[in-house]
């Protein structure tokens, strides 16, 4: 198992920069999830790590060897494709054994290894079938088996669950996570599904238009999003983001806008500053109308089973245990605790952190 | 104290029970006959024009050929047709020419196969990475011979193969009378036909290669396969349906492709060395004016090729992999 390092990796297609100056250090045994919206360059980045696409700029290392110019055959990585790319003319057994066949291993060894991998993945009864005779979930496991059969330095997976239905996806997600816990294999996993990212990752690399937006553990990315993009990409429904002005009132800072006044819980005195205020729907609570907070009118209530989401006219939504006890048309006031408020720069959208000025020393 | 009992919640009403319970029936009663006809007829009506054309231009002449093969007739409308039963077939099977022409046809097919399968695969694989404008130019170059009318091509080749002043002899430094020597005449016919069809075959193979999902080759590379292993283990097997199609075309059509060249360059000679099945059939009908014998030969070839085609299609089906 190996460590993967990327340095300034860039890939351009004509005028489009699909991957823009990405630097990453994936530690040995880590499960790094590349997360981002469609077209943000996840697959391009993964294909560069696999060696299927030469980078326009930048370098990459596997352990201590530089592999920037090494062809895919000589990089010690295994890849699971989004389409699975199971060889349609070969049986399941030959598909799984293919990486060993290319390495000219003896036939008996291939057979034993294939049987072992098939047993772990529950494919033993399917070994003689052709890929077209398998269900989506079975194909996915064969693709995984083909990657597992030779202990590679790292696993690369490109949205391996996107073709599965919701239930199978949950099951396979747990299977892959379990496999990773057992094998401790360095894995780079591409997805645009935030649930997959949150549940499986040891770290998330959030990409936006080819650039690295944030890198951190799932809780870091969720609890302290580095930008408005990160804040609104993770979470369902997305974080509420409102344009407000921070000003000092009676020695403490509050965020203010029309029909909105929330205390930031910071005792300080600064000049007014326009910011974007973010607060997650589950951190808003309904209080009796008239108090301090966000004043809004409920427009719709969604039933999620265990929870309910109330959407308001200002674009703000609230999420809480069912029943929330509001009906469309009702005027409500929403409040949130200061530690649940996120501030972002009005122009750049980057996260703002409060830093108390050092107390002036008496001379 | 309040007394009570648990009552099972009724499941949603199913339509079968609903009908039994006398609810309005949503399924219409069985339609009248003409309604049923109207529902079934459209596909057949759509097919009708094609079927009519096929019957008029293919099946009717075929049936007439069968009928003609049992008569003796010299193609002159004023002479009567004499019914000879299977006489034509007996005559045909007893001529030594038939066996020889079958063998020559086999030679032609085997000789043209490299031009329709071997060379195109090699060329298409080697030039896969040609991109952009160069690709268009290159394809046009390869395809051009196909656009030359066979008879015009033949005239030029006759000139090139001329024993005294021809360019071929000059380039090879030889002194061969290519078209008038028994051994080289057949070779010349094969090579010229191959030159005609090779561009088409390259295009077919290129299209076949383009139809293979590039993920397979990418996956194989990541799995450690070298370039030649990818070709042998992934690309060629996935290309096999295309190759089977080309083999089938070659087997069924080679002898026809050679016809215009034979007729222009050698007229079946020298000493019959380029007379294959089609040319023999044509000679019977339009040289010897023996319509019955030609028709009988046509019927035999027809049956023979049906068997060959059936075997080859069965093989092609076995080879094709559903790529999904
Ligand atoms: N071969 C190519 N030629 C030109 N542009 C390309 C090529 N491959 C990718 N791109 C562009 O690069 C960008 C990133 O593509 P990429 O496939 O990496 O996206 P992705 O993040 O994997 O998206 P998805 O989640 O939809 O798979 C896109 O804008 C795409 O149009
Ligand atoms: Mg992708």
């Amino acid at each position: 198992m190996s460590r993967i390092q990327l340095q300034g990796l860039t890939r351009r297609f004509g005028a489009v920069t699909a991957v823009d100056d990405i630097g990453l250090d994936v530690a040995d045994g880590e499960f790094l999830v590349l997360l981002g919206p469609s077209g943000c360059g996840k697959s391009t980045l993964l294909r560069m790590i696999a060696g299927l696409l030469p980078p326009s700029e930048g370098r990459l290392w596997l352990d201590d060897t530089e592999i920037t110019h090494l062809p895919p055959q000589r990089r010690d990585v295994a890849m699971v494709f989004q389409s699975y790319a199971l060889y349609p003319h070969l049986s399941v057994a030959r598909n799984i054994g293919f990486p060993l066949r290319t390495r000219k291993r003896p036939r008996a060894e291939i057979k034993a290894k294939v049987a072992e991998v098939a047993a772990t993945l529950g494919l033993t009864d399917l070994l003689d079938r052709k890929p077209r005779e398998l269900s989506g979930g079975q194909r996915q496991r064969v693709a995984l088996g083909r990657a597992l059969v030779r202990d590679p330095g790292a696993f690369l997976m490109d949205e391996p669950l996107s073709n599965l239905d919701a239930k199978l996806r949950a099951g396979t997600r747990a299977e892959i996570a379990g496999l990773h816990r057992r094998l401790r294999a360095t894995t780079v996993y591409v997805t645009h599904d935030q649930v997959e990212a949150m549940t499986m990752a040891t770290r998330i690399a959030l990409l936006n238009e080819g650039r690295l937006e944030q890198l951190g553990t799932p809780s870091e990315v969720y609890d302290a999003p580095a930008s408005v993009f990160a804040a609104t990409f993770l979470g369902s429904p997305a974080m509420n983001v409102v344009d407000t002005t921070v000003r000092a009132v009676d020695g403490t800072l509050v965020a203010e806008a029309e029909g909105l006044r929330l205390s930031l819980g910071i005792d300080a005195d600064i000049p007014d500053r326009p910011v974007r205020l973010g607060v997650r729907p589950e951190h808003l609570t309904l209080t009796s109308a008239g108090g301090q907070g966000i004043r809004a009118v409920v427009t719709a209530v969604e039933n999620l089973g265990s929870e309910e989401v109330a959407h308001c006219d200002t674009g703000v939504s609230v999420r809480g245990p069912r029943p929330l006890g509001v009906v469309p048309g009702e005027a409500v006031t929403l409040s949130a605790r200061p530690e649940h408020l996120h501030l972002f720069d009005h122009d750049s959208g980057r996260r703002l952190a409060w830093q108390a000025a050092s107390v002036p020393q008496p001379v | 104290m309040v007394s009570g009992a648990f009552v099972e919640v009724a499941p949603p009403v199913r339509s079968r029970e609903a009908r039994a319970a006398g609810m309005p029936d949503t399924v219409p009663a069985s339609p009248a006959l003409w309604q049923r006809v109207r529902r079934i007829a459209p596909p057949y009506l759509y097919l009708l024009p094609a079927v009519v054309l096929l019957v008029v231009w293919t099946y009717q002449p075929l049936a007439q050929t069968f009928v003609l093969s049992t008569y003796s007739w010299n193609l002159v409308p004023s002479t009567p047709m004499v019914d000879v039963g299977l006489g034509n077939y007996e005559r045909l099977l007893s001529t030594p020419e038939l066996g020889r022409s079958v063998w020559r046809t086999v030679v032609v097919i085997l000789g043209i196969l490299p031009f329709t399968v071997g060379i195109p695969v090699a060329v298409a694989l080697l030039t896969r990475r040609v991109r952009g404008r160069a690709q268009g130019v290159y394809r046009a170059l390869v395809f051009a011979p196909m656009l030359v009318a066979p008879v015009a091509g033949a005239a030029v080749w006759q000139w090139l193969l001329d024993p005294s002043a021809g360019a071929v002899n000059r380039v090879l430094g030889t002194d061969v009378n290519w078209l008038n020597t028994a051994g080289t005449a057949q070779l010349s016919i094969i090579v010229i036909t191959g030159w005609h069809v090779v561009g088409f075959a390259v295009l077919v193979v290129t299209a076949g290669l383009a139809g293979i999902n590039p993920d397979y080759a990418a996956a194989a590379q990541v799995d450690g396969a070298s370039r030649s292993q990818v070709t042998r283990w992934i690309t060629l097997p996935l290309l096999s349906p295309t190759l089977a199609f080309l083999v089938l075309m070659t087997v069924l059509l080679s002898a026809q492709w050679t016809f215009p060249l034979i007729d222009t360059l050698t007229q079946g000679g020298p000493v019959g060395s380029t007379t294959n099945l089609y040319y023999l059939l044509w000679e019977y009908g339009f040289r010897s004016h023996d319509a019955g014998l030609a028709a009988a030969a046509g019927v035999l070839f027809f049956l023979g090729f049906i068997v060959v085609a059936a075997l080859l299609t069965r093989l092609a089906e076995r080879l094709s992999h559903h790529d999904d």
Side-chain angles (χ1 to χ4, degrees):
Chain A
M1 289 303 134
S2 324
R3 164 185 182 198
I4 304 170
Q5 285 168 278
L6 319 182
Q7 191 187 78
L9 218 56
T10 301
R11 172 71 205 200
R12 281 181 281 271
F13 294 108
V16 184
T17 306
V19 170
D20 194 358
D21 191 19
I22 299 251
L24 276 177
D25 188 344
V26 188
D28 187 12
E30 193 170 353
F31 197 108
L32 181 92
V33 169
L34 292 178
L35 178 68
S38 189
C40 69
K42 308 180 294 288
S43 298
T44 308
L45 182 56
L46 203 69
R47 294 178 85 89
M48 285 195 285
I49 300 176
L52 296 170
L53 206 60
S56 310
E57 271 167 43
R59 303 162 71 185
L60 37 100
W61 288 264
L62 193 68
D63 275 342
D64 295 326
T65 34
E66 180 171 356
I67 56 169
T68 315
H69 302 292
L70 234 49
Q73 297 88 340
R74 302 198 10 232
R75 300 184 181 195
D76 188 22
V77 298
M79 182 157 170
V80 177
F81 286 72
Q82 180 167 0
S83 60
Y84 305 148
L86 300 181
Y87 311 123
H89 56 298
L90 300 180
S91 67
V92 168
R94 307 254 286 170
N95 260 286
I96 297 178
F98 191 88
L100 301 179
R101 190 168 155 218
T102 63
R103 285 170 176 71
K104 304 211 167 65
R105 295 287 169 73
R107 206 166 275 185
E109 184 196 325
I110 296 181
K111 209 169 163 202
K113 194 82 190 164
V114 167
E116 181 193 322
V117 169
T120 30
L121 293 172
L123 292 169
T124 309
D125 297 334
L126 307 175
L127 284 177
D128 295 326
R129 296 219 199 151
K130 290 282 172 65
R132 67 165 178 277
E133 296 159 349
L134 301 178
S135 73
Q138 291 165 339
R139 285 176 203 197
Q140 200 276 336
R141 275 181 288 159
V142 176
L144 214 53
R146 195 170 66 187
L148 287 173
V149 77
R150 58 179 176 114
D151 309 302
F155 288 101
L156 309 176
M157 305 193 187
D158 193 353
E159 307 201 28
L161 306 187
S162 62
N163 291 335
L164 306 184
D165 66 44
K167 191 166 167 228
L168 200 53
R169 194 182 298 191
T172 321
R173 201 166 65 210
E175 231 167 83
I176 294 181
L179 219 51
H180 175 254
R181 262 195 308 280
R182 238 186 16 255
L183 300 174
R184 288 268 139 236
T186 313
T187 307
V188 179
Y189 184 103
V190 164
T191 184
H192 60 249
D193 183 314
Q194 46 167 312
V195 179
E196 275 172 37
M198 292 298 292
T199 53
M200 301 169 88
T202 55
R203 275 197 305 165
I204 293 177
L206 187 62
L207 298 184
N208 180 25
E209 290 177 353
R211 278 184 304 276
L212 192 58
E213 193 81 20
Q214 186 170 9
L215 179 67
T217 65
S219 1
E220 278 166 13
V221 177
Y222 192 83
D223 296 339
S227 65
V228 172
F229 173 83
T232 49
F233 191 79
L234 280 168
S236 160
M239 182 187 278
N240 302 300
V241 179
V242 201
D243 286 334
T244 59
T245 308
V246 170
R247 59 171 61 105
V249 177
D250 301 335
T252 68
L253 298 183
V254 295
E256 271 191 346
E258 205 195 317
L260 180 150
R261 185 183 185 135
L262 289 168
S263 167
L264 297 179
I266 300 167
D267 291 329
D269 196 7
I270 58 162
D272 290 3
R273 172 172 181 166
V275 297
R276 308 186 71 183
L277 173 80
V279 55
R280 294 209 179 270
E282 65 267 30
H283 290 149
L284 283 172
T285 48
L286 294 154
T287 54
S288 51
Q292 209 189 48
I294 307 173
R295 277 197 295 282
V297 177
V298 177
T299 53
V301 179
E302 272 176 357
N303 178 359
L304 302 184
S306 64
E307 297 188 311
E308 261 180 354
V309 176
H311 297 280
C312 300
D313 56 349
T314 46
V316 173
S317 46
V318 196
R319 176 175 175 154
R322 191 162 73 103
L324 275 176
V326 293
V327 292
E330 191 174 334
V332 292
T333 302
L334 310 166
S335 64
R337 301 224 305 271
E339 66 265 31
H340 288 144
L341 299 179
H342 308 266
L343 297 183
F344 303 99
D345 185 80
H346 191 270
D347 302 316
S348 71
R350 301 299 302 178
R351 182 181 188 83
L352 298 174
W354 178 254
Q355 202 168 30
S358 50
V359 182
Q361 297 291 316
V363 184
Chain B
M1 223 164 64
V2 185
S3 67
F6 285 108
V7 187
E8 200 178 307
V9 179
V13 183
R14 296 200 198 104
S15 65
R16 215 180 309 143
E17 288 160 9
R19 230 178 306 153
M23 285 189 176
D25 200 342
T26 49
V27 182
S30 68
L33 180 68
W34 81 273
Q35 264 178 329
R36 229 181 308 165
V37 170
R38 242 177 43 164
R39 206 182 54 219
I40 296 170
Y44 296 97
L45 288 176
Y46 281 118
L47 278 177
L48 194 63
V51 171
V52 166
L53 287 177
L54 263 181
V55 167
V56 170
W57 297 109
T58 305
Y59 295 117
Q60 193 205 354
L62 196 64
Q64 282 175 338
T65 308
F66 273 101
V67 174
L68 193 59
S69 72
T70 62
Y71 285 90
S72 174
W73 184 42
N74 66 359
L75 285 173
V76 179
S78 55
T79 49
M81 292 163 68
V82 182
D83 190 347
V84 294
L86 293 177
N88 286 327
Y89 290 94
E90 279 163 25
R91 214 147 46 89
L92 182 67
L93 291 173
S94 62
T95 56
E97 281 163 73
L98 182 72
R100 282 203 291 267
S101 74
V102 167
W103 170 242
R104 285 187 206 112
T105 311
V106 172
V107 169
V108 165
I109 290 171
L110 292 179
I112 290 180
L113 271 176
F115 292 95
T116 53
V117 180
I119 295 174
V121 168
V123 170
L125 283 176
L126 288 174
T127 55
R128 236 186 324 181
R129 266 170 295 252
V130 180
R131 289 261 175 272
R133 184 166 304 177
Q135 188 179 46
V137 171
Y138 151 76
R139 284 193 181 161
L141 281 178
V142 171
F143 193 64
M146 190 77 189
L147 302 174
V148 177
V151 177
V156 175
W157 277 103
Q158 192 161 31
W159 183 49
L160 291 173
L161 291 171
D162 187 90
S164 52
V168 174
N169 269 343
R170 235 181 307 150
V171 168
L172 296 178
T174 50
D175 184 21
V176 180
N177 193 346
W178 294 96
L179 295 172
N180 288 316
T181 313
T184 57
Q186 180 80 300
L187 180 70
S188 306
I189 295 290
I190 287 172
V191 171
I192 299 172
T193 310
W195 169 80
H196 258 295
V197 296
V198 72
F200 174 71
V202 169
L203 280 200
V204 171
V205 173
T206 307
L209 283 178
I212 298 175
N213 184 343
D215 275 359
Y216 296 132
Q221 277 180 296
V222 176
D223 282 346
S226 66
R227 190 161 288 174
S228 88
Q229 283 173 333
V230 173
T231 305
R232 278 180 292 135
W233 293 346
I234 305 295
T235 311
L236 286 181
L238 291 178
L239 195 62
S240 58
T242 305
L243 301 185
F245 164 76
L246 283 173
V247 170
L248 185 71
M249 294 268 291
T250 310
V251 170
L252 296 182
L253 300 178
S254 287
Q256 285 184 35
W257 292 334
T258 56
F259 183 87
L261 296 173
I262 295 173
D263 199 44
T264 325
L265 297 178
T266 66
Q267 290 83 41
V271 285
S273 66
T274 56
T275 305
N276 61 36
L277 276 177
Y278 282 91
Y279 204 76
L280 184 72
L281 192 153
W282 185 83
E283 278 193 333
Y284 284 157
F286 300 99
R287 283 260 169 79
S288 327
H289 299 290
D290 193 340
L293 193 64
V299 168
L300 280 190
F301 304 161
F302 175 69
L303 296 177
F305 276 124
I306 281 188
V307 173
V308 174
L311 288 177
L312 284 174
T313 5
R314 172 109 32 111
L315 189 70
E317 245 155 49
R318 183 98 59 84
L319 284 174
S320 62
H321 318 284
H322 301 270
D323 175 0
D324 54 6

